[in-house]
Amino acid sequence: MTEQLKHYIGGQYVAGTSGRFSPVYNPSTGEHKAEVPLASESEIGDAVADSLAAFPGWASTSPITRARVMFKFKQLVEENIEELAALLASEHGKVHSDAKGSIIRGIEVVEFACGIPHLLKGEYSDNVSTGVDMYSMRKPLGVVAGITPFNFPAMVPMWMFAVAIACGNCFVLKPSEKDPSLPIKLGELMVAAGAPPGVLNVINGDKVAVDALLDDPRVKAVSFVGSTPIAKYVYARGTANGKRVQAMGGAKNHMLVMPDADMDKAVDALIGAGYGSAGERCMAISVAVAVGGAGDELMEKLAPRVRALKVGPSAADADMGPLVTAEHLAKVRGYVDLGIEEGADLVVDGRDISLQGYENGYYMGGCLFDNVGTDMRIYKEEIFGPVLSVVRAPTFNEAIDMVDKHEFGNGTSIFTQNGDIARAFSDNVEVGMVGVNVPIPVPLAFHSFGGWKASAFGDHNQHGPEGVRFYTKVKTVTSRWPNSIKAGAEFSIPTFK
Ligand code: NAD
């Protein structure tokens, strides 16, 4: 019988009551693995109420106590990482090593959050005026919510809740309905680590749940990661309701290959960054810009590597696994058909592959287009699959101009041996995260993650110091004691002396 998943609220697994469910598949086999309940507005209300009840107690624990919970949570995730990675892969389709790596990138944010006593240190000015001291502190917001995408079901939730909870907030997580089992499990591990029930509630759902979180006045901030149309919507609705919102959206990441680049290393980088995780990464390189005369050599070296990519079920630990759902596979294949219609050259065609024993899985081989034009939809739109487009640009200026004009501005990189060109690129390009001879420049946990243009809405980025700012508000106290209080009322604005 198909497993029926639950929510994790108040330290317990709770069955859904809305009567609505969404199917969860194993992309490696096509098996209908589970049904996930989709929460109603009132179920969201109950989850928020439960978190709100936990908030005063959690907010008043010392930061070092909260850090100790984070240390324990890290330990529990590490102790269970093999099973967690297998669970993640069974619903997402990532190969095991990649699934494990993505959990480790989440753990790194938990490690950052273990430093919360230091991160929450305020500022103190002694004697700002005679006998008057001034200090500021960072206070948690209350109940905050996270809405996360299918492609990183462990890492992206941990980006958010590790920082939010360490800051003293209570967190309601609404994970993707496509691969919810791992995030639900993280709720259980957080309570096992010593967080009081309600500090991390995990509730499943779709638009109904998201809207309920965006409209609930008890939810003070919402962090969203997903596609750009939904990010825009979440940002608009959440801010209209007076909430703090950070909403990360989609991407189209360019890698410039300069004529002086070490072509073998550039090709290695493109293969990993374009096809790792079947291209289902918001920082995947989906456009290679061959600058000057770099195009022919690049294609000569790239095409055989794309043809040789090993595609397999997640347990086989191939180069890449299947796509997440049959629907997403059809969409990505549709983009490859479109590219041919638009006149790009499909040099490697991975559309039709079948794996013996896994005929019902959602597999697709690597696809490689050459001579892609900037007016084509396959260039402009996010495909989110194992499809790499090569665009040729005569000069560096034309290449950087192309990146700047693109709607998205999440990540970009340049491969070159010329320091001046690399510096000009990283200094000027209109993109939030830049790599120099690094294809996927994802900032580590103690820096902050976020793109520009249509790749992010809101002021603060994910994790790092920006995360701490997003999940806290500043209070500044000015104080003096009786001996320094002067007699008499002051009617004009006080200036300190
Ligand atoms: P998605 O936008 O379909 O879903 C994201 C979340 O929004 C899910 O929890 C989903 O349930 C919810 N949702 C879906 N439709 C909704 C609606 N109509 N109203 C309200 N909520 C809705 O994204 P996805 O397919 O799960 O993830 C892939 C996308 O996420 C890609 O575009 C990728 O680039 C992006 N992404 C961005 C980043 C980043 O940091 N910029 C990181 C990872 C993924």
Side-chain angles (χ1 to χ4, degrees), residues 147-152 156 159 174-178 205-207 210-211 224-228 230 233-234 248-251 281-282 382 384 410 449 455:
I147 298 153
T148 52
F150 81 82
N151 68 322
F152 284 109
V156 172
W159 279 2
K174 203 300 288 170
S176 169
E177 63 278 32
K178 293 188 183 118
D206 56 3
K207 179 172 165 48
V210 172
D211 286 351
F224 172 90
V225 173
S227 59
T228 287
I230 313 293
Y233 168 79
V234 165
M248 275 61 196
R281 288 177 180 149
C282 70
E382 181 179 44
F384 220 55
N410 213 38
F449 180 107
S455 295

Side-chain angles (χ1 to χ4, degrees), residues 336-337 339-340 343-351 366-370 387:
V336 180
D337 299 343
I340 298 167
D345 300 329
L346 184 62
V347 177
V348 183
D349 183 357
R351 278 174 295 177
C367 293
L368 179 64
F369 277 113
D370 194 7
V387 182

Side-chain angles (χ1 to χ4, degrees), residues 83-211:
E83 300 94 278
L84 293 173
L87 184 62
L88 190 163
S90 73
E91 294 181 359
H92 178 286
K94 281 182 205 282
V95 296
H96 189 83
S97 56
D98 189 34
K100 198 169 152 182
S102 76
I103 296 174
I104 293 170
R105 286 306 288 254
I107 292 174
E108 287 171 6
V109 180
V110 178
E111 287 165 344
F112 169 75
C114 288
I116 202 68
H118 175 72
L119 294 164
L120 286 183
K121 271 193 319 202
E123 294 178 322
Y124 191 95
S125 296
D126 172 43
N127 221 23
V128 288
S129 183
T130 312
V132 180
D133 305 319
M134 186 176 281
Y135 57 96
S136 60
M137 52 188 136
R138 294 203 157 264
K139 292 293 204 184
L141 305 177
V143 178
V144 297
I147 298 153
T148 52
F150 81 82
N151 68 322
F152 284 109
M155 181 184 83
V156 172
M158 285 196 260
W159 279 2
M160 299 174 179
F161 72 64
V163 180
I165 290 174
C167 286
N169 300 285
C170 290
F171 198 92
V172 178
L173 172 66
K174 203 300 288 170
S176 169
E177 63 278 32
K178 293 188 183 118
D179 46 11
S181 291
L182 181 70
I184 299 170
K185 185 84 185 156
L186 294 179
E188 182 192 326
L189 292 181
M190 186 60 81
V191 170
V199 165
L200 176 59
N201 282 334
V202 187
I203 184 147
N204 302 289
D206 56 3
K207 179 172 165 48
V208 172
V210 172
D211 286 351

Side-chain angles (χ1 to χ4, degrees), residues 208-244:
V208 172
V210 172
D211 286 351
L213 287 167
L214 292 170
D215 293 347
D216 192 322
R218 296 167 299 177
V219 175
K220 300 301 175 198
V222 173
S223 180
F224 172 90
V225 173
S227 59
T228 287
I230 313 293
K232 268 188 190 161
Y233 168 79
V234 165
Y235 182 73
R237 189 160 177 158
T239 52
N241 284 331
K243 294 185 201 315
R244 235 176 234 203

